[in-house]
Amino acid sequence: MRRILVTNDDGYFSPGIIALGRALEPLGRVTIVAPQTEASAVGHALTLRRPLRLEQVSEHVYAVDGTPTDCVNIAIDEVLDGRPDLVVSGINRGLNIGDDVTYSGTVAGALEGALLGYQAMAVSLKSTPGEWDFEPAAGVARALAAILLEKPLPNRTFLNVNVPLGPVTGIRVTVQAKRNHITQVDRRLDPRQRPYFWIEEAMDEWEPHDQSDRQAIADGLVSVTPLQPDLTDHKALTLVDGMTRGLVPASFAKAGPTS
Ligand code: MN
């Protein structure tokens, strides 16, 4: 029987991960290993300076007091009785699109799966002001999981799936949108008059792009972006090579006093 590892960054108790686990059950043996408390926006963090605890919550559900990346590693080394056929992270409360994927703990869970050599996918649902309904996104996750199990992606490639609100009407393969980052840091004073800070999600200024994940969601379509861990800007190799070609050992010597 196939082994499917499910994680997230919202916590093992999140309705999104419960819906995802249930949706994947027909495809294999589902084991949930997820953070004990919410770990959204922790990115690909790995906990190295404190011990991690693993708690079995129910027969197939485990909680780790760490990050999604911690969860994937502990799941594979300590919980599963063999290699997972698929790692699925989600269903996140809120989209993980464009440049924001670099902050996402949800995407990092899938990224870790891909780095370790497994088929992997992250699934996120657009935020709603009303009741959360994870069922349409869970159906998308099951359909795509079935495909990955039958036709695996190349090594180190994984899927970032984002689902709009409402019934699913279609799917589009996308690229990451680019956002002009205007982060606002709000400075306030505590009762002892010492400053503290809140990072605000400031104005979103997205570059328009017909094939972007953001545009797919705006058009009411499921967005599927193939991602890879390699952040190398391959088209800049020649440029940087030219910039650095004049450097010789003497260039790195301690600078003397300028006359
Ligand atoms: Mn989250």
Side-chain angles (χ1 to χ4, degrees):
M1 196 168 192
R2 279 167 168 146
R3 295 183 198 92
I4 301 174
L5 170 61
V6 171
T7 192
N8 74 351
D9 72 2
D10 292 336
Y12 72 90
F13 46 81
S14 165
I17 201 171
I18 293 164
L20 177 61
R22 269 200 211 115
L24 297 176
E25 264 165 24
L27 302 178
R29 189 175 339 121
V30 173
T31 305
I32 293 179
V33 183
Q36 198 160 47
T37 55
E38 189 181 337
S40 291
V42 299
H44 196 207
L46 189 60
T47 302
L48 296 178
R49 281 181 295 279
R50 65 171 177 84
L52 289 164
R53 303 286 178 179
L54 172 70
E55 184 195 342
Q56 185 163 12
V57 177
S58 61
E59 197 184 349
H60 300 295
V61 180
Y62 297 79
V64 172
D65 59 345
T67 68
T69 301
D70 297 331
C71 289
V72 170
N73 282 285
I74 289 177
I76 289 165
D77 266 31
E78 293 290 327
V79 181
L80 299 186
D81 56 357
R83 293 167 56 92
D85 297 285
L86 179 64
V87 177
V88 188
S89 184
I91 299 168
N92 189 60
R93 280 183 287 214
L95 296 172
N96 282 302
I97 57 170
D99 295 332
D100 289 347
V101 305
T102 58
Y103 302 109
S104 169
T106 306
V107 173
L111 166 62
E112 188 66 5
L115 282 172
L116 294 171
Y118 308 113
Q119 294 297 304
M121 168 171 74
V123 186
S124 305
L125 175 63
K126 189 177 181 191
S127 289
T128 171
E131 285 268 295
W132 286 93
D133 178 11
F134 291 99
E135 288 313 313
V140 169
R142 180 175 50 231
L144 291 172
I147 293 171
L148 289 181
L149 289 167
E150 290 307 317
K151 292 190 92 177
L153 287 165
N155 199 20
R156 297 166 70 92
T157 300
F158 64 105
L159 297 183
N160 182 33
V161 180
N162 284 276
V163 181
L165 294 175
V168 176
T169 59
I171 195 163
R172 184 184 291 161
V173 177
T174 56
V175 301
Q176 277 179 263
K178 292 187 179 68
R179 188 168 70 129
N180 298 322
H181 274 65
I182 314 170
T183 313
Q184 260 171 20
V185 178
D186 193 17
R187 185 182 199 270
R188 304 179 191 183
L189 291 178
D190 73 14
R192 299 195 175 96
Q193 302 306 302
R194 288 180 312 188
Y196 65 95
F197 304 91
W198 278 108
I199 308 275
E200 304 280 1
E201 286 184 66
M203 288 183 297
D204 275 352
E205 277 193 21
W206 295 83
E207 282 182 25
H209 190 301
D210 288 347
Q211 213 195 333
S212 77
D213 45 11
R214 180 175 157 78
Q215 191 57 50
I217 296 293
D219 294 341
L221 299 172
V222 173
S223 163
V224 179
T225 314
L227 298 180
Q228 54 174 350
D230 182 3
L231 293 178
T232 310
D233 186 349
H234 291 269
K235 64 184 185 305
L237 287 173
T238 308
L239 170 71
V240 176
D241 190 46
M243 287 165 66
T244 54
R245 195 165 294 156
L247 293 173
V248 294
S251 313
F252 308 114
K254 201 172 163 187
T258 48
S259 54

